[in-house]
Amino acid sequence: MSDADAQDDHGFTRRRLLRTAAVAGAGTALAWSTPAGTALAAASPGSAASPASAAAQVDRTAWLAHPGRPVQPRFRWWWPDGLVDPREIRREVDQIADAGFGGVEIAAVTHSLDDKTVLHVAENGWGTPVWTARVEAALDQAAKRGITIDLTAGPSWPTAVPSITADSEAAVKELAHGSVQVAGGATYTGPVPAPLVAAASGVTRQQLVLVQAARVDTANSTRKETGLSFSSVRDLTGQVADGSISWTAPPDGEWVLIAYWLRGSGQTPESGPHTSPTAYVVDHFSEAGAQAVIDFWEAHILTAPVRRLLKKAGGALFEDSLEIETAALQWTPGLPAAFEKHCGYALEPYLPAVILSKSNQVFAFDAALTRQVRHDFWETVSRLFDDHHVAVLKKWAHSLGLKLRMQPYGLQTDAIATASILDIPEGESLGFKNLDDYRCLAGGRDMAGRTILSCESGAYTGGAYNTTWQKFLTTMGGAYAAGVNQTVVHGFSYATTPGVKWPGYAAFTPYHGKVGYGESWGPRQPTWQHVPDISGYLSRIHQVLQSGTARADVAVFRQTGYTATGIGASWFTASGVPLGWTHQFISAPLLELPGAKVSGGRLAPQGPAYKALFIEGDFFSGSACTLRVRDAERLLDFTKAGLPIVMLGAWDTATVPGLPADGENERLHTIIGKLLTQPRVRRVSDKADVPAALADLGVQPDVRHATASTLLNAHRVADGVDYYYLCNGKHAENVKPPVAPMDHEVTLRRTGHDGVPYLLDLWTGDARRIGRYTEDGDSIRLRVALHPAETLLVAIGRPGLFGDRGGKQPHAVSSQAESVQFVNGELTVRHSAAGTFDTVLSQDASTTTVSTTIGEVPEPRVLSAWQLHVEDWRPGGAPTTTTVTGHDLKLDALAPWSQLEDLEDVSGVGRYRTTVTLERPWTGGYGAYLELGTPSGTCRVTVNGRQLDPVDQINPVVDVGPWLKRGDNTIEVEVASTLANRLRVSDPDVYGGLTRQQYGLTGPVRLVPYGQARVG
């Protein structure tokens, strides 16, 4: 007998347990699944509607079932600049609103247009009167439909305006260098070395700012960097005359003469031109750059109607990631003065260590000095970005009634700190390497007491017209566990532009003649008719995950606050998360926030309420143990107030991260010495010792399970209710081995001592009291079984929280039945076979055992014979016109469309219909689950003419019990596909390389009966 068939304590095989929702959900629909397992005794997300609820339940249920516009997902709405029609704009606003989306971000994206002259940017470009009028139309229709419009700060990205030139004070700058080798004792006479990298198009001026000489020191050289002796650096600027210099090198060793040139970088926004004259990227590190953006908007975009409509329908001003690209070093004229003010020493002598050429470092001093100076340089740049760009634009956006949403990463700046300043920080599923990248931004958000972490979601390389919603949900499931709670879907393309092919204009495809990025969702897609099911699911996730405050177990202190790096935390990322631990990253500026205080042993008690702080060496500086003196002082204050701290590494030899002032490292050693002697501090030398240190400090996670698992979680507390989002997810997009089904017990901490657990169905909006669990002090233990990417939402609150009639009546502690749940306020068992089942009930401090009998239960049926009608979507007479051809087939066995005659290259919508005859004992007390296997695309189910609630698109198991009857029953399944298979043959030059997708119901489809009886 295999392990899978070994019996458990109650006499049921392991295989059977895996097929059931082993701990109960509550209500009329409990998920009963395939052998791989299902959600926690959950009502199948696709279950039929329950009978009318009690009046007390309505308000709470409506909150979950019908989330409002503010929490609905959003679209990136891609326009070909102003070449859009007001009537079509209004129509698309209606399409988006009708599909359950709460807003859009208008973005100028024209990557798919080989011939951009069709845009006529002088007339239709970004910021022109025509474009502004189109934005006005969008805002007006959005106001009528109750959705909001976000606007990008400039055309495309990075932010740019056409009111400046590449040479303007407000334009983005670079510091370029030129150099020449000079032998010891030799004389160089000639022009000051010109920049090694030529100026970009449009740049006509450059200014010499400094000339230096330094002796080469090979002991400081690296594989890519020429080593220099810092003590030899000398300023030769005063010897320059008429652009030339004559200098004799000292006789000792080889020397290098370096000239530094300030000029505009000439960067223009992505995929231009979008304007005439050309828009140039603004200086993101000076107020002049931010003011140029403000001035252009005030002069050209903010007409009286637009201002008025922004107050009604404006959402946020948006900036994409900091793709400030230059072949030299990002610069701003005020940087040297800001550096000296911030760091206490002049930057110029250290410039060789920070200069860049084609993104590579050029020179280096000794390793420690080089690391310190580069740290101080980028910390200064980060402060300039926050103070002169983010803060200025945020204040101005607020004056317009807008928030500031931004992706604050792309350079070596402190994205964690910037996230704490922004109204809405945003990450992205394509650019982020794993979940820790989101946890960086979440730390900034939560320490600052803000609510939303947005995500640019669902962009895939080569994903155009072949991306399924299952793939999208699989990608995003883990992101929500890492802190994301707003979804900006990538994206919705405007209908058409001149010269495009069917099915219309797509922002990113074709891309260099082949399949492009992302997806163009909308009515052009067969799945669009099911999209309200998807948007409802996402809205409920947002509704819950924007409620109250986020809670995380541990704050990981990061000396360098980068993100989009994929760098995680020792032990926690690889080992702690699989055991239920949650963590976020914080950086030094967050320690100065008003909420950065300790009470009750928690850091930021009114926010994430971290139970411990973990600090290790700086991954971005060779794992060196570094800490600023004032940060060490803050940590000492924190732990004296009761905060547990775990320090990994050789902290007794720590140094400050930047260039130390006199005696600064000694002061740091004194403070750390005191820190390490505190009773709530543990120092460990190996990451494997971290869990023992936490246990010794009495720190436990809010979610615990004994088995390492792919279960991810997010915890929020609102009005005394604990909300736990659970997902069987993955840390990164391409995990090997892939995520497998999981099934094990999970312990959840509860805020209220009398709280009872509810299952919140994210697909239907139903809330049901869970019927089987155990209590242990401030915790509840229940069993969770989830398919890969499947999610679950558990709320723990007072009895009757959702109007349930179960009140404080006993629940099941254990049962021989496959599931236990509350049905209409009565504890009920379900099982797939006849028998008498013992159920142990909670009775205050004691338990009692009750036997329940279920009579004969029919055997499961495989539904193989179907009538299939397919709507075949094909190119019509215009790029935006689709012709639909019908196909009717009689199937004796299910198979993908690609294996059915005449359907090999069909895309569209398939409607499957079959009749099931149910004989005795099909009377009261019986029901069935419909298992749909793995349909490709989206699906819906109708039973006996009634369309059921949305189907869980990840685990499509539907409780059809309430709608079945004795005799003949008609079951219909509607499945919608992508457009990939049709495009493979209709446009083979672009899409011919796509792999043919397996559409439709592929089976097995099973009807699995269950018996049901009240306990007691």
Side-chain angles (χ1 to χ4, degrees), residues 668-719:
L668 177 66
H669 294 160
T670 298
I671 298 167
I672 289 182
K674 295 177 182 179
L675 185 63
L676 293 175
T677 64
Q678 297 301 307
R680 303 294 287 159
V681 174
R682 299 291 182 273
R683 187 183 68 163
V684 296
S685 58
D686 190 281
K687 62 184 179 181
D689 298 327
V690 170
L694 292 167
D696 189 41
L697 290 165
V699 179
Q700 288 187 326
D702 285 344
V703 177
R704 306 193 305 277
H705 36 90
T707 305
S709 168
T710 48
L711 184 66
L712 302 168
N713 78 83
H715 180 199
R716 294 189 77 92
V717 177
D719 299 324

Side-chain angles (χ1 to χ4, degrees), residues 815-833:
S815 179
Q816 293 175 321
E818 292 167 344
S819 69
V820 186
Q821 56 188 282
F822 284 99
V823 177
N824 297 326
E826 295 183 334
L827 198 63
T828 303
V829 295
R830 281 187 183 179
H831 203 84
S832 57

